[in-house]
Amino acid sequence: MKQRIATARKYGPAARDYAMFRTLYHAGLRSEEASLLERPDVHFSRGPFGKLHVRFGKGAHTSGPRPRWVPMLDGLDLVLRRFLEDVRSKFPDSPVLFAVESGGALHRGTIRNRLRYLMELEGRPPAERFSPYALRRACATHNYERGVDLVAIQQMLGHWTVSSTMRYVRPSATFIEDAYQRAVASTLAELTGKDTTA
């Protein structure tokens, strides 16, 4: 997606899509949550990485929206800073973060359709295509595989319970071996006083 921005017929929507899908993946947001983000919800000075204020997080049953703060990990703060500085002005002035060309919010169905279109453009076979929801699952899995605490992932995704978060985690085929190697390296480092992970 990043490479296509420069040659896209419309620079603004292409750059917006790139920033939006990076946000869905790195912040683990639902499509609806991303579509409801507004520019004032991006707080670059909050915490070590900056945070997104997800004001309309999914509530349980009839509880209403459940707001949460989500850190902008893995360079998402840089992506959104560049988007706000260089791209957002290509769209009409409105509070919406990821605006359509009229300035309104993207609908979650439009987000799904944009991702499908981009995968078709890429020539990805139908069996390998995925939804925005899969980006949320990938966020949970990749953070879990890196050793991020399940409770932290739960809070990031806005789940009520850790068991809900565990249903999102799909470890890789070598997850056990990778975890074993990290544990051995950590133990050796403690025993020898050397950093063996460098």
Side-chain angles (χ1 to χ4, degrees), residues 5-101:
I5 293 172
T7 58
R9 190 169 57 87
K10 292 186 175 182
Y11 169 77
R16 175 208 59 208
D17 288 352
Y18 173 74
M20 178 181 61
F21 289 119
R22 289 281 304 263
T23 301
L24 288 173
Y25 170 65
H26 292 298
L29 301 187
R30 299 171 179 92
S31 295
E32 181 85 8
E33 293 170 342
S35 72
L36 294 172
L37 283 174
E38 295 186 348
R39 288 190 277 180
D41 294 327
V42 183
H43 296 261
F44 293 111
S45 60
R46 190 173 182 115
F49 306 105
K51 291 187 180 184
L52 294 172
H53 188 202
V54 180
R55 292 174 295 118
F56 299 100
K58 182 179 175 183
H61 309 297
T62 59
S63 68
R66 187 167 176 237
R68 69 185 187 279
W69 290 93
V70 179
M72 294 187 273
L73 305 176
D74 296 319
L76 179 59
D77 58 329
L78 302 176
V79 170
L80 290 179
R81 191 180 296 277
R82 180 157 187 243
F83 171 74
L84 286 168
E85 290 172 356
D86 302 339
V87 180
R88 183 58 185 81
S89 61
K90 310 273 185 225
F91 296 88
D93 189 25
S94 75
V96 176
L97 181 61
F98 301 120
V100 295
E101 291 177 274

Side-chain angles (χ1 to χ4, degrees), residues 77-185:
D77 58 329
L78 302 176
V79 170
L80 290 179
R81 191 180 296 277
R82 180 157 187 243
F83 171 74
L84 286 168
E85 290 172 356
D86 302 339
V87 180
R88 183 58 185 81
S89 61
K90 310 273 185 225
F91 296 88
D93 189 25
S94 75
V96 176
L97 181 61
F98 301 120
V100 295
E101 291 177 274
S102 64
L106 280 165
H107 186 271
R108 65 180 178 185
T110 305
I111 295 172
R112 184 181 58 248
N113 293 339
R114 291 292 303 156
L115 184 58
R116 184 186 306 127
Y117 167 75
L118 290 166
M119 285 188 282
E120 286 172 3
L121 197 63
E122 188 180 284
R124 187 179 288 260
E128 293 180 10
R129 294 179 190 164
F130 53 88
S131 67
Y133 192 68
L135 293 173
R136 184 168 156 81
R137 287 182 176 273
C139 172
T141 296
H142 295 159
N143 279 300
Y144 181 71
E145 287 184 330
R146 287 194 292 192
V148 177
D149 184 82
L150 268 174
V151 174
I153 299 171
Q154 172 199 351
Q155 291 178 359
M156 184 175 176
L157 297 183
H159 286 152
W160 285 90
T161 64
V162 172
S163 61
S164 295
T165 305
M166 275 309 299
R167 288 196 297 270
Y168 276 61
V169 174
R170 301 279 187 272
S172 66
T174 61
F175 176 70
I176 296 170
E177 294 90 337
D178 296 340
Y180 171 79
Q181 287 178 331
R182 283 193 305 272
V184 168

